Every structure is written in C-alpha cells, then in structure tokens.
C-alpha cells in the first residue's frame, strides 16, 4: 500500500486506475495502523487490479478535509473515478471485502 503525498497524486490515480481503495488514517490511530496491513495483505491478492493507497491525515489534513474525512479510519473505494463505497470508524473488513467484491465482479464483466 503506497502512501500518497498530495491531492495531485490522488487525482491522477483516480483518473488512471479503474479501481482505487484509499485508507485515510493517522500515525497515532491504533485502529488505522492495525487494519492497514490486514487490508493490504487480504485485498492485494483477491483484487489484483485494485490500487490501494494510504493517506496520513495528520500530515495531509487539507486532502482529508476535501474528501469529507473528519474521523479515522475511513476507507473509500472508487471505481472509474466515482466513489462507490465508504466505510467510517467501526466497520468490518469482511463486510468491506464483500462490498468490493460485488462491484469488482460487475466491473470485470
């Protein structure tokens, strides 16, 4: 999971890739640091074309605010530049996986 440094990188990624998962987190967010490797390990194999990136909201507060992220963690999943899924704070990784799978399979057809 690559860490983005600015809004321009994110905009480019959303334009160039069909599927993008963004984890908005923070270095001092224990839940964020726990789920980050779990998402990376689990989803990178199952969804090979899903580009996964991390945005540190402690460093990029402006980017997080532009995306409506005011609590952590937040996962947003974009397909073809459009946000399809958003999970905030307490969410199940299994539920997230199932939602991605539904949309991912439709996209692959």
């Amino acid at each position: 999971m690559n860490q983005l440094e600015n809004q321009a990188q994110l905009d480019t990624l959303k334009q160039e890739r069909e599927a993008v998962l963004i984890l908005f987190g923070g270095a001092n967010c224990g839940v964020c640091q726990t789920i980050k490797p779990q998402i990376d390990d689990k989803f990178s194999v199952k969804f090979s074309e899903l580009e996964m990136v991390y945005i540190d909201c402690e460093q990029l507060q402006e980017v997080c605010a532009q995306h409506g992220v005011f609590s952590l963690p937040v996962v947003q999943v974009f397909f073809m530049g459009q946000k399809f899924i958003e999970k905030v704070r307490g969410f199940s990784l299994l539920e997230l996986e199932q939602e991605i799978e539904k949309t991912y399979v439709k996209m692959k057809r």
Side-chain angles (χ1 to χ4, degrees):
M1 185 177 293
N2 295 322
Q3 184 164 335
L4 297 185
E5 302 298 326
N6 57 52
Q7 181 65 47
Q9 286 179 322
L10 182 55
D11 291 341
T12 300
L13 199 59
K14 285 194 276 185
Q15 289 175 357
E16 292 178 353
R17 300 298 303 249
E18 287 186 5
V20 179
L21 178 146
I22 308 163
L23 171 60
F24 294 91
N28 295 317
C29 170
V31 175
C32 303
Q33 298 308 313
T34 300
I35 66 169
K36 183 178 174 186
Q38 292 176 7
I39 288 173
D40 200 21
D41 292 344
K42 191 173 200 174
F43 296 175
S44 63
V45 174
K46 188 165 187 172
F47 308 114
S48 59
E49 293 182 26
L50 179 65
E51 180 74 25
M52 292 180 287
V53 296
Y54 176 77
I55 295 179
D56 186 333
C57 291
E58 293 171 16
Q59 294 178 358
L60 300 174
Q61 293 175 5
E62 223 176 87
V63 174
C64 295
Q66 287 176 1
H67 283 81
V69 175
F70 299 104
S71 63
L72 300 176
V74 172
V75 172
Q76 294 180 352
V77 183
F78 289 77
F79 291 98
M80 306 216 216
Q82 299 295 312
K83 182 168 53 173
F84 276 74
I85 301 167
E86 181 172 53
K87 297 293 180 186
V88 180
R89 298 189 99 199
F91 56 88
S92 158
L93 291 181
L94 178 60
E95 180 184 321
L96 175 61
E97 179 182 3
Q98 290 169 344
E99 285 188 45
I100 292 171
E101 189 166 28
K102 282 182 208 172
T103 310
Y104 191 82
V105 168
K106 289 177 188 174
M107 183 188 81
K108 298 298 286 173
R109 289 184 187 163

